[in-house]
Amino acid sequence: MAGLSDTFTLTNGVKIPVIGFGTWQTPDGDVAYNSVLSALKAGYRHIDTAAYYGNEESVGKAIKDSGIPRKELFVTTKLWNDDHGYEKTKMAFGKSLDRLGLDYVDLYLIHWPNPKEFRSNWQKTNAETWKAMEEFYREGQAKAIGVSNFRAKHIDALLETAEIAPMVNQLFLNPSDMETGIVDFNDDHDILTEAYSPLGTGNLLKLQPVQEIAKKYNKSAAQILIRWSFQHGFVPLPKSTHEEYIKQNGDIFDFEIDKSDMQTLDGLQGKAGLAIDPDTTDF
Ligand code: A2P
C-alpha cells in the first residue's frame, strides 16, 4: 500500500481512502477552507466533517475550489443529536448536503447513539433515524451509511430492525483507548473501524514512549501515531490546521513500525484520555 489515495473496500463495494482528513474543532471560515484545501493539495482524498462541527460550508467550498473531480473524493458528514428521528433526519441530511454544496455524500453517520434528549427511547429513535438513512442510501444520496461512537449493544439494537447493516463505525481510537471490545465487534460484523482523534487530540504527542519511537524511525510523533492506527487496520482521521502538519500526517507510507514498538504503543492505555461513555453524555 503506497499512498493517500489507496483504499479499503466497504461491505457494499464502496472504496474508502485509507486515511481521512479530520475537521473536528476546525473553525468555520478561512481556517476550515484553507485546511481542507491544503489537505486536498497534499493528496488526501477523504474528508471527514459533521453538521455539529459547523464547518460544512467551508469544507464544501474548499472541495469545489480544489477542482478535483467529485468522484475522486470521499466525503463524510454526520447527523447531530438534535436531529434523530425519521423526519428530522431527512431535514438534517438535506441541510448538510446544501451546506456542503453536494448532491451526495460518500458516507453518512449517526454521530452518537444515545443523545440525552432521546435517552428514554434511543433504540426506537435510532431505528427511525436508520430508516431515513437507508432511504438516502437506496436513492444514492449516501453511497454508504454507518454510525459513530456506537458500542456493541447500540449496533445490536440497530440490527434488530435494520434492512441494511452499518458499513462503518467511527470511534475515538488511539493508543490511549484501543476500544478493543467494540473494534472486535466491528470486525466480526464486517464493519470498518475509523479512528478519530488518532493523536489523542494532540495529548499523545508528548508522551515519552511516543517521542522515543519517533526518534528511532526518524519520524514525527504524529506520524508514528497515524502509522500505528493504519497498521492496526483502522482508518485514521488526523486533524490539523497547519499546512506543514497536514502534509506530514499524510506521509506515513514509507516505513513500518515493528512488532515490539507496536506493543509499546498498545501499552499506553489511559495515558492521554479515554473515549466518552456514549450512554452518559450530557448532549
Ligand atoms: P493544529 O490543529 O493546531 O494543527 P487529533 O487528530 O487527535 O484530534 O489531534 C489534533 C491536534 O493535534 C490538533 O491540536 C493539531 O494541531 C495537532 N496536530 C496535528 N498534527 C500535528 C503534527 N504533525 N504535529 C504536531 N501537532 C499536530
Side-chain angles (χ1 to χ4, degrees), residues 25-272:
Q25 294 179 327
T26 299
D28 195 31
D30 288 350
V31 178
Y33 177 79
N34 290 325
S35 307
V36 173
L37 214 50
S38 297
L40 294 170
K41 263 194 215 141
Y44 293 77
R45 290 295 176 267
H46 173 175
I47 309 293
D48 183 272
T49 183
Y52 180 70
Y53 302 168
N55 57 22
E56 287 174 310
E57 240 171 87
S58 308
V59 168
K61 192 164 182 297
I63 287 171
K64 184 160 178 269
D65 291 354
S66 74
I68 298 169
R70 175 68 185 90
K71 63 177 185 334
E72 290 176 23
L73 298 175
F74 190 99
V75 182
T76 301
T77 195
K78 313 184 190 85
L79 176 80
W80 185 241
N81 292 0
D82 300 342
D83 293 318
H84 284 212
Y86 181 77
E87 290 301 334
K88 279 185 166 178
T89 299
K90 292 201 120 180
M91 297 254 298
F93 182 62
K95 284 187 187 163
S96 278
L97 285 181
D98 285 350
R99 283 189 295 261
L100 285 162
L102 299 175
D103 52 14
Y104 72 90
V105 291
D106 297 276
L107 179 61
Y108 196 49
L109 304 177
I110 303 181
H111 207 147
W112 288 90
N114 191 354
K116 197 174 176 195
E117 190 182 336
F118 302 108
R119 196 143 290 161
S120 58
N121 59 351
W122 61 266
Q123 294 93 332
K124 185 167 172 280
T125 316
N126 282 347
E128 287 168 4
T129 293
W130 194 250
K131 196 162 169 270
M133 290 177 57
E134 288 176 331
E135 287 180 20
F136 310 150
Y137 176 72
R138 289 196 183 98
E139 286 158 11
Q141 292 172 299
K143 303 295 178 197
I145 50 178
V147 296
S148 181
N149 300 298
F150 273 49
R151 295 192 169 164
K153 73 168 192 187
H154 305 116
I155 297 180
D156 275 334
L158 197 69
L159 291 174
E160 281 181 25
T161 53
E163 291 175 14
I164 300 166
M167 294 140 200
V168 168
N169 188 8
Q170 183 180 127
L171 302 170
F172 175 90
L173 180 54
N174 55 53
S176 186
D177 194 342
M178 291 186 62
E179 303 239 40
T180 312
I182 179 65
V183 167
D184 288 348
F185 179 94
N186 290 344
D187 290 344
D188 290 346
H189 290 77
D190 290 326
I191 295 171
L192 181 101
T193 302
E194 292 185 331
Y196 75 83
S197 301
L199 314 178
T201 63
N203 294 327
L204 280 159
L205 297 169
K206 44 188 180 295
L207 295 184
Q208 182 85 5
V210 179
Q211 294 273 341
E212 279 169 13
I213 293 172
K215 212 167 167 194
K216 173 173 164 188
Y217 291 87
N218 201 18
K219 294 286 170 187
S220 73
Q223 287 172 315
I224 293 298
L225 293 162
I226 296 163
R227 178 77 202 185
W228 171 91
S229 190
F230 173 70
Q231 282 185 214
H232 268 294
F234 313 143
V235 171
L237 306 168
K239 171 261 177 187
S240 173
T241 53
H242 294 90
E243 192 168 5
E244 263 323 291
Y245 291 165
I246 292 169
K247 276 194 209 154
Q248 187 192 101
N249 295 348
D251 181 18
I252 58 116
F253 297 98
D254 64 348
F255 73 109
E256 185 163 354
I257 304 171
D258 71 26
K259 204 171 162 201
S260 108
D261 291 328
M262 284 298 282
Q263 281 167 354
T264 302
L265 294 166
D266 290 351
L268 296 177
Q269 177 71 21
K271 299 284 188 216

Side-chain angles (χ1 to χ4, degrees), residues 1-8 15-19 43-46 72 253:
M1 203 167 273
L4 281 171
S5 50
D6 283 315
T7 54
F8 293 126
K15 297 202 181 305
I16 178 167
V18 295
I19 294 188
Y44 293 77
R45 290 295 176 267
H46 173 175
E72 290 176 23
F253 297 98

